[in-house]
Structure formats: C-alpha cells, structure tokens
Amino acid sequence: MQASLVTFIQLLRSHDVRISPAETLDAMAVAATLGYGERERLRDGLAMALAKTPAEEAIVESCFDRFFGQQMADFSNTREERERGEQESGDPQQNESGAERQPADSGNEADAGSDSLLAELAANDDAVQALLDSPLLQQLQNNDRNALNLAMGTAAEQVGLGQIKMFTQKGQYTRRMLDAMGEAQIRQAIIGLEERQSPALEELRRYRDILREQVRDYVQREYLLHAEGHNARFMDDILSHTRLSHLEQRYAQRVQVLVRKMARKLAERHARKRRTFRRGRLDMGKTLRRGIASDGVMFNTYWRRTRKDKPQIVAICDVSGSVAAYAKFLLLFLYNLQDVLPRVRSFAFSSHLGEVSELFTRYPVEKAIELVNWRYGGATDYGSSLQDFARLALDDINSSTTVIILGDARNNNGDPKLEIMRSIYQRSRRVIWLNPESRRAWGTGDSEMLRYKTACHFAAECNNLAQLERVVDQLLRLTR
Amino acid sequence: MHTQDFPQLASIEVIEQGFESLGYICSTKIATAVFLAFALRKPILVEGPPGVGKTELAKTAAELLQVPLIRLQCYEGLDEAKALYEWKYGKQLLYTQVLKEKLGDLLQGAQGLAESVERLHQFGDIFYSEEFLEPRPLLKAMQQERGAILLIDEVDKSDYEFESMLLEILSDYQVSIPEIGTIKASVSPMVFLTSNNTRDISDALKRRCLHLYIPFPSVELEERIVRSRVPDIDQVLRRQLVAFVHSLRDLDLKKTPAISETIDWARSLLLLHAHQLDEEIIHNTLNVLLKFEDDINTASAGLGELLRSPRRA
C-alpha cells in the first residue's frame, strides 16, 4: 500500500501539484493514522496534507478517485443480455427461466448452461481443458472482476505501464499486457477451434474480446492518469525553449498562461516585504555604550533602523519588427511581477523613444503591449532613441535603479551615442542588456552590441522563455 | 499535547460530537483535520471565505479541550516584538542602576584592573535573561503547562518576514532568542492559522501545515448550524431562510452573506416574531445579511424571484 501511495504522489506531481519528500512522509503518517479502511476519510486526510490551495485540493481529490477507485465495468455478458438483466433485475425468477446465460452474479449454476459447449469440447481435447483450467479463463467465465483487475494490475506492473507517455504507445502496451496475462493460450485455442469449425468458437471469441476490451480500457485509464499531466508539461517545456519570434499564433494563449505561471513562481520566490519602518527595536548595546560617556546614565536611546531602499526598474524595449515579439514577452513578464517588483517604468523605441508606463496602468497588459507596438514600431535608431531617453529620464536614474534594455543593437549604421549609455551605466545600479540574437552574431554587420556591451553590467542572450525566466530571476535577486 | 491526555480527541466521531455539543456543527472533513492535526502534531491552515467559522473553529477547540486560547491577530507591520517577545527595557535600565550601586561591594579588595575585570566576569549577568523577557502571544503559547490552542488569525495580512519567523515555531515548536538561546515548548500547542486568501502564503509555510478549506456549507449543514445556534426558531422559517441565503449566494454580490450573517439574520427574525418569510420582512431586514448598498439593491430587485424559487424547490 505504501508503494501505491508513492505512485499516487508521483501522479499528483505530474498534475502540477508540488509535493516535497517531507509531505510524502506526512501523507504516510496521515494514511497510517486514518487507516485505509474508509476511502472518503483517507481522501480528505490526504488532500489536507498534500494540497496547498483549493484548486490543488480538487486535483488531489479527483486523482484519488481515479487512482484508487478504479471500478471495472460489468462484463458479465453481451450487451443485450446485460440490458435484459437490468430490465429483469426486479424480477429474478423470470430471469432464471428466461435467460440462457445468467448474469454471473447469480453464481455457478449458470456454468452448466453456458459453458457446456466448451466443457464438452474440453473432454476430448487436452489443450482446451488446460485452457479452461487456467485462472484467466476462470476469471472471465465467472465474471470475477476483482481477480481480473488484480491480474491486470500485476501485468501492468510487469510491463511498466506507469511509464506510458504518448498515446501512440497505447496499442503496444495493450499487446504487452495481454501477453503478460497469457492471452496467447486463448488465441491458440481459437485457431484450433477455427480449423475444426467447432460450435464453441463463438463462445471463446467472446471471452477473448471481453479480455481485450478490458485491457484496452485499463491502458486508456492509466494513460489518462499518467500521461495527461505529463504531456501538458512536455508542451510547456517545448514552448519555453522555442524562440519567441517563432511561436505560432495558436499557442499565444498558452504561452501567456505559461508566462503568468513563471511570473507567479518568481514572485513567490522573491516575495519579501518592501515596507520598512522608521523606528525599529531599541538598540540596547548602543544605548548603553553611548551612555558610558555620561557616566552610565542613558540620556539618549538608539533604535535599530532598517535601511530604506526604493528600487526602481526601467525597461527600455526595442519594438521594431525584428525584436517586437521579444519585447512583448519581457513586458508581459515585468508587469506580471508587479507585486514583487518595485516601480517599473517602461520605454519603447524604434526610430524615436517614448515612455509607455502609463499605458500599462490604464489598460490590461496584453492590450497595452498592442498599443505600444502600434505607436512606436518602425526602423530602429538607437542613437536618437538614447538621446530621447536621456532627455526624458536620465535625471531619474540613481543608484537604486536597474535598467533593462531589450534590443538587437542593430543601429542601421547610425551613431550609437555610446556616451549616453556610459552615463546611464555610471548612474544606475545595474544595466542589463538582453539581446535576442545569439552571442555569435553580436558585432556582425551593423550590430553595435560589442560596443554597447562595454557599458553594461550584464549582457545576455535571451530568445526563449526559459532564458527570459532565468534573467528575470537574476534580476529580482539583484534588485531587491 | 498528547492524545492520552485528551479523550475529547480520541477519534473523528468523538470530535464531531464534542464540537456539536458546544454548538459548532462541523463537517466530517473539519473533524478529520482536527484529529489529524492533533495526532500528527501539525498546525492547520484554515482557508475559506470570511464568516464561515474559521476563527470559531479554534475557539471551540479550546473550549472543548479546556485549554487557554491564545490569539494573535496579524496585520501589516506585525513584528516579533509584538508577536514573540520583548525585553522589559524599563526594568533593564533600573537593573543597570542597581548594578552600579553594587559595583563597589563587588570590586572590594580587587587588586588592579585585570582582577576587577575578572571579578566582573564571574558575576552572573542577568541583563539578558528570561527575567527581563516579556512574553508575547507566540512565546506565551509555548509556555503553557497544559498546552494551549494558538490561533494565528489572518496570517495573510502579515508580512513575509513574519511568515518566515513562524516557520521555526510551527515545525519545531521552539523559538530562538539570540541573546538567550532556544526556548522549546514543554507541551506543544495546537496551532490554527487562518487566511482569507488576500495574498498567497509562502510554500514553506503551507508545507508545514495541514490545509483545510472551509467552503460555504450545504443547505443541510447550514440548517443544522442555525438550529444549534438559534434553537428557538421555527422549523419552517429556518428552512425558508437558509434556502433564501443560499439563493443569495448565487447572485453576484460584493460580499456574499456567510454563516455568521445567516445566524444574525435568524436571530433578528426571531426578535421580530416572524413566522414566515415574505417580501416585506426581508426588505426590512436585508441590511443584516448584506453589507453594501449595491448588494441590497441587487437583491431587492430580484426579491420576488428569489422568494418564489428557492434553490431547493
């Protein structure tokens, strides 16, 4: 049971519930305290120990039901008979007389009628007899769902069904499971019966089909359980490593969700109090020491002060055609981090530069980004844009300002105005340049990156979400 | 706190009954949480909309166990001087004065500076000691001899630093005071944290707690709650008013009426000698349930509709 609890936790992890080893131990303790007897209670208990939000609680509960509550369908007979059984369930006596094959719940007496053909055959054929004696066929004949379920569980473990990742693997795993359960024996018998055109053929075929159906369902269920969450993560993984300019439009929604998720993760990691208080605790040591001068009488009290720090972030984004897609994501990132990032001021430029912070306070982030692109798109001129920036905001840059510049530094052979970059560099706490081009392309053609780089504390290549996340993470660590 | 000392918490059923006898009707889930928290010695983080009885849960637990309830209301700017401990500065200053007067006796007969300093070191220093420690709620909860219920209310309102400070207390039931050392609880208190979800609590804190989400109750549960809290109310009226509150919760309101409001409303209806809900009486008492003018207007507009089709029908 412990093993299956661990599997259950792995399953939850694949569904994006973060569970630490310590919590796994907690879950074990919960299970040990509550016992496995009452499913509802155990479910509640596990949800309490493992989930951290109501949303996660819902995930835990639904996974619990799917994982521990694998109920098998009734496969007692063919469909029409099952339906008939349902109709007649209110009147068991009629059922007794009417049905050729009883629903197996009613027990062994059914065997006499239904299995006579096979049984007769078995008397003359050792192979068939052996088959009839095999536990697999026994389970099928007796509709023993528990035993069959158990057998499927064992087979699933043998073939490692828990490793299933892709829907294309379903057929393969079904085959392997059937083999592990000994379906080959039935297959052989069917071939034998076909040759002889035995009347029992239909009967055996039916059992085989039931078995296949059950195994197929089982594999499907396991696939949903194990692979679904995994695939969603796989997708996120791919998206976060794709060049941002290559992301297809149809993934836009998903990428935005992903950015928000990353931003939330970073926000949590860096969330810390920013408010400081004018007066901290009394600094007893200092008060006493200063008191010595006045013969130990403590005239003045000294209080521990906390350093006040008002960090500020200035984002300058190139929104010309070649870089616009990247700017969008950087801004999306920054503005999704508003809870933890102090003041963000953003500027956009291509031929000229302007402040766009106000757009972000007025509109939702996505809308604001569209407006920015529309207003400032065009051919790039780094020189005049830097001049614009100096005029607008250079005075506001001080030792607590972090400046992030996003651009490819391709200046169309204009004047790079490096001296403005230098003064930004000297005044600010940090200058970070993010370049969507790969490092190898820096400085080639009209790229001024190598020159600008000398006026940056940190320059990085940044063209997919994973890199962006890393940079923003670092940024947060350094600014606060 | 150990199970053998508290038969009130022996099993989930016993807890349910115990709470019920004190007028707190809890779902099995809540009882399970209390049972687990006690058995595993883990804090419970209770979340849910305001007014579903999060704070009440801790109060009732204290009443059930007959141990003191120590409450710490969190707010922005709460620091350890207010939550954990504070030095008694005034007394400390006096102590230094007293010390100075005694200094003559202490150093009597000492030869030279070195010996004086040595004497001074031999002298037991109690400037930073438990004598001068003023315990605040968290420390107080750990000093209780029979154990205690510690209620850390609205932890989401506190700052992140405070949250980190709680970690040591919640996982090991001990506090570190730099000047003295570690103080460990002789009997670990049972801790309830409540949160209204105004911000996300850090994962580190969540990981140390059992997570209990209390939603608005079902109609049946809420009827039982009203019955236990306002026993005199007529059965028909009770059913009507609970159904009405439930249909109110489906509206888009600024502040959805919670259990506490249902109870208040039931009490007011009782005072007014109402036997049945009709539009007029609802109109006159709606301000008990709804706390915003906008909400009252929204509800009044659809009042006939709400009355005619209560959710249950």
Side-chain angles (χ1 to χ4, degrees):
Chain A
M1 208 59 199
Q2 257 187 11
S4 71
L5 201 56
V6 172
T7 326
F8 175 59
I9 282 165
Q10 271 163 3
L11 168 69
L12 288 177
R13 285 186 183 140
S14 78
H15 280 76
D16 261 356
V17 183
R18 265 190 285 163
I19 295 168
S20 65
E23 281 165 302
T24 309
L25 292 180
D26 287 345
M28 302 262 180
V30 165
T33 315
L34 293 176
Y36 291 93
E38 280 188 60
R39 182 171 284 177
E40 287 273 307
R41 196 168 278 186
L42 181 63
R43 191 181 68 178
D44 287 350
L46 286 179
M48 276 165 209
L50 296 175
K52 280 153 231 113
T53 59
E56 283 185 1
E57 193 175 317
I59 296 177
V60 173
E61 287 184 356
S62 79
C63 281
F64 183 92
D65 288 343
R66 274 154 74 185
F67 188 81
F68 290 107
Q70 285 180 349
Q71 292 287 334
M72 285 187 69
D74 187 355
F75 57 87
S76 57
N77 273 314
T78 51
R79 184 148 46 93
E80 57 266 39
E81 279 171 1
R82 213 178 311 158
E83 277 163 11
R84 197 169 61 204
E86 274 161 25
Q87 280 166 13
E88 289 166 357
S89 59
D91 194 355
Q93 264 151 10
Q94 197 190 343
N95 192 10
E96 196 94 352
S97 60
E100 188 191 10
R101 296 192 198 106
Q102 306 291 332
D105 293 343
S106 59
N108 294 330
E109 52 195 315
D111 292 351
S114 65
D115 294 328
S116 52
L117 286 172
L118 267 177
E120 261 172 44
L121 210 70
N124 310 321
D125 191 335
D126 287 347
V128 178
Q129 183 60 50
L131 177 64
L132 271 187
D133 290 342
S134 74
L136 180 63
L137 206 68
Q138 291 281 328
Q139 288 156 11
L140 284 167
Q141 275 186 334
N142 298 337
N143 188 18
D144 189 345
R145 273 174 274 161
N146 288 336
L148 192 63
N149 215 350
L150 205 67
M152 288 203 291
T154 322
E157 219 158 282
Q158 268 176 27
V159 304
L161 186 56
Q163 308 294 317
I164 189 166
K165 295 274 188 296
M166 299 288 174
F167 74 95
T168 47
Q169 291 172 307
K170 278 195 284 194
Q172 187 190 0
Y173 272 109
T174 310
R175 186 73 260 151
R176 282 202 220 150
M177 263 184 71
L178 284 171
D179 287 347
M181 289 173 77
E183 190 238 17
Q185 207 178 359
I186 300 183
R187 232 164 37 217
Q188 284 301 324
I190 285 179
I191 294 170
L193 293 181
E194 265 171 353
E195 280 167 1
R196 269 177 281 162
Q197 300 198 334
S198 160
L201 181 62
E202 269 311 299
E203 166 124 20
L204 198 57
R205 270 197 185 142
R206 198 172 65 79
Y207 285 131
R208 182 196 61 188
D209 291 346
I210 289 172
L211 178 66
R212 288 189 176 167
E213 190 184 303
Q214 291 300 320
V215 172
R216 229 183 350 254
D217 285 357
Y218 189 91
V219 171
Q220 170 69 12
R221 224 161 30 223
E222 290 290 304
Y223 166 73
L224 285 179
L225 221 55
H226 292 286
E228 215 182 25
H230 180 86
N231 284 354
R233 249 198 346 212
F234 184 59
M235 183 83 192
D236 283 355
D237 211 39
I238 289 179
L239 284 180
S240 63
H241 286 94
T242 310
R243 282 185 86 90
L244 287 170
S245 54
H246 295 182
L247 283 174
E248 280 179 54
Q249 192 54 39
R250 67 194 164 109
Y251 293 126
Q253 199 63 33
R254 207 184 167 105
V255 171
Q256 277 180 12
V257 173
L258 192 63
V259 168
R260 248 176 253 128
K261 203 158 113 188
M262 286 173 164
R264 207 166 48 234
K265 196 169 91 192
L266 291 179
E268 259 168 45
R269 193 180 306 160
H270 295 279
R272 250 194 303 151
K273 188 185 81 168
R274 260 175 294 126
R275 253 191 71 186
T276 44
F277 300 94
R278 241 178 307 162
R279 209 168 80 162
R281 290 177 53 191
L282 179 67
D283 189 342
M284 204 58 211
K286 198 171 175 188
T287 309
L288 275 174
R289 267 199 310 283
R290 293 295 161 95
I292 291 170
S294 47
D295 198 18
V297 180
M298 286 164 262
F299 281 119
N300 295 316
T301 48
Y302 292 87
W303 301 85
R304 289 211 173 92
R305 272 164 213 273
T306 16
R307 198 166 61 96
K308 251 197 246 171
D309 211 9
K310 272 195 194 152
Q312 176 179 247
I313 288 184
V314 173
I316 307 174
C317 296
D318 183 350
V319 290
S320 65
S322 51
V323 201
Y326 302 98
K328 179 173 153 190
F329 285 104
L330 177 69
L331 290 172
L332 199 60
F333 231 112
L334 291 181
Y335 280 89
N336 270 311
L337 280 170
Q338 247 172 359
D339 291 345
V340 274
L341 276 182
R343 286 168 299 159
V344 179
R345 284 180 73 185
S346 41
F347 298 84
F349 71 92
S350 53
S351 56
H352 62 288
L353 175 143
E355 179 158 9
V356 292
S357 319
E358 177 228 16
L359 286 177
F360 285 91
T361 50
R362 201 140 34 104
Y363 301 104
V365 180
E366 288 80 10
K367 169 93 180 155
I369 289 167
E370 264 175 47
L371 285 173
V372 169
N373 276 338
W374 174 73
R375 202 180 283 182
Y376 291 99
T380 354
D381 183 344
Y382 275 77
S384 71
S385 296
L386 280 173
Q387 251 168 351
D388 285 343
F389 179 76
R391 192 168 37 77
L392 276 174
L394 193 59
D395 290 344
D396 298 339
I397 290 182
N398 56 33
S399 60
S400 61
T401 312
T402 303
V403 180
I404 310 172
I405 303 174
L406 179 83
D408 55 6
R410 296 210 173 266
N411 197 21
N412 299 322
N413 298 318
D415 180 3
K417 296 271 182 215
L418 195 61
E419 67 277 7
I420 301 179
M421 266 312 280
R422 286 227 177 279
S423 62
I424 297 175
Y425 173 71
Q426 276 153 12
R427 279 163 169 263
S428 65
R429 175 145 153 200
R430 288 184 75 79
V431 177
I432 299 174
W433 192 300
L434 304 178
N435 194 330
E437 285 187 347
S438 93
R439 238 167 230 281
R440 260 161 288 159
W442 292 3
T444 60
D446 60 347
S447 168
E448 300 284 357
M449 192 57 208
L450 294 180
R451 296 182 67 190
Y452 281 137
K453 204 179 128 190
T454 55
C456 295
H457 294 89
F458 176 70
E461 170 189 337
C462 174
N463 55 41
N464 63 36
L465 281 182
Q467 286 175 341
L468 191 58
E469 188 192 13
R470 211 169 324 134
V471 170
V472 176
D473 185 23
Q474 203 166 17
L475 171 78
L476 283 167
R477 198 168 304 137
L478 294 168
T479 42
R480 319 196 49 242
Chain B
M1 293 176 28
H2 293 289
T3 320
Q4 58 266 30
D5 303 334
F6 293 96
Q8 299 97 312
L9 297 180
S11 78
I12 296 174
E13 288 77 16
V14 172
I15 294 173
E16 257 176 289
Q17 282 157 17
F19 273 58
E20 190 163 349
S21 71
L22 293 170
Y24 189 94
I25 311 292
C26 62
S27 60
T28 316
K29 209 166 148 187
I30 298 177
T32 311
V34 174
F35 175 71
L36 280 178
F38 193 70
L40 305 178
R41 301 199 336 142
K42 275 176 100 57
I44 309 184
L45 173 64
V46 194
E47 284 187 315
V52 289
K54 299 188 291 288
T55 308
E56 204 60 28
L57 175 64
K59 286 189 189 163
T60 316
E63 206 180 329
L64 181 69
L65 301 181
Q66 292 180 329
V67 292
L69 172 76
I70 293 170
R71 180 171 175 170
L72 176 68
Q73 176 70 45
C74 296
Y75 50 87
E76 207 176 323
L78 178 68
D79 59 1
E80 55 183 39
K82 288 167 194 144
L84 198 52
Y85 67 88
E86 175 74 299
W87 294 104
K88 296 175 180 168
Y89 296 125
K91 294 233 175 82
Q92 275 179 326
L93 285 176
L94 278 177
Y95 169 72
T96 56
Q97 300 295 323
V98 174
L99 200 63
K100 209 154 66 181
E101 275 159 34
K102 297 272 177 222
L103 211 57
D105 304 346
L106 182 70
L107 298 182
Q108 210 167 30
Q111 303 278 321
L113 201 59
E115 200 181 331
S116 302
V117 171
E118 200 178 315
R119 286 261 188 99
L120 210 56
H121 277 303
Q122 281 164 4
F123 180 73
D125 186 12
I126 60 162
F127 189 84
Y128 283 124
S129 70
E130 287 192 47
E131 315 251 322
F132 291 115
L133 208 57
E134 176 85 57
R136 301 285 189 199
L138 293 180
L139 186 57
K140 215 186 271 172
M142 272 182 274
Q143 290 170 336
Q144 299 297 321
E145 274 160 23
R146 278 201 67 228
I149 301 281
L150 173 61
L151 168 62
I152 303 176
D153 218 358
E154 303 192 320
V155 71
D156 50 335
K157 297 235 173 83
S158 68
D159 307 306
Y160 286 102
E161 273 125 358
F162 179 74
E163 239 181 82
S164 329
M165 192 199 76
L166 279 181
L167 296 180
E168 187 190 6
I169 297 173
L170 294 184
S171 53
D172 299 330
Y173 298 105
Q174 63 176 38
V175 294
S176 296
I177 298 173
E179 292 87 350
I180 298 179
T182 312
I183 297 184
K184 199 168 169 52
S186 48
V187 181
S188 51
M190 188 166 167
V191 186
F192 289 85
L193 300 106
T194 75
S195 156
N196 284 333
N197 255 331
T198 55
R199 70 168 170 84
D200 270 350
I201 310 289
S202 73
D203 268 6
L205 183 63
K206 280 184 167 171
R207 200 172 58 65
R208 284 168 173 79
C209 301
L210 293 175
H211 185 266
L212 173 66
Y213 181 76
I214 308 186
F216 286 122
S218 62
V219 177
E220 289 73 25
L221 191 62
E222 190 154 14
E223 271 185 35
R224 279 177 62 205
I225 294 169
V226 174
R227 188 169 60 204
S228 108
R229 283 297 161 108
V230 194
D232 298 334
I233 199 160
D234 184 63
Q235 192 192 336
V236 180
L237 181 61
R238 188 176 66 224
R239 187 160 295 163
Q240 274 184 335
L241 80 89
V242 170
F244 181 77
V245 171
H246 271 256
S247 54
L248 269 189
R249 282 188 194 140
D250 288 344
L251 294 180
D252 293 328
L253 299 176
K254 256 190 199 163
K255 158 100 181 63
T256 315
I259 302 176
S260 49
E261 272 104 12
T262 314
I263 293 170
D264 285 346
W265 196 41
R267 287 208 179 109
S268 1
L269 290 177
L270 191 65
L271 277 178
L272 295 170
H273 301 293
H275 295 292
Q276 225 180 348
L277 281 187
D278 52 49
E279 285 202 29
E280 195 195 336
I281 196 144
I282 294 180
H283 219 85
N284 294 337
T285 53
L286 208 53
N287 52 358
V288 180
L289 273 179
L290 301 174
K291 304 296 159 73
F292 286 94
E293 193 57 39
D294 286 353
D295 288 354
I296 295 182
N297 291 339
T298 314
S300 303
L303 204 56
E305 191 81 5
L306 285 174
L307 255 184
R308 243 172 284 126
S309 59
R311 249 165 52 142
R312 210 188 239 189

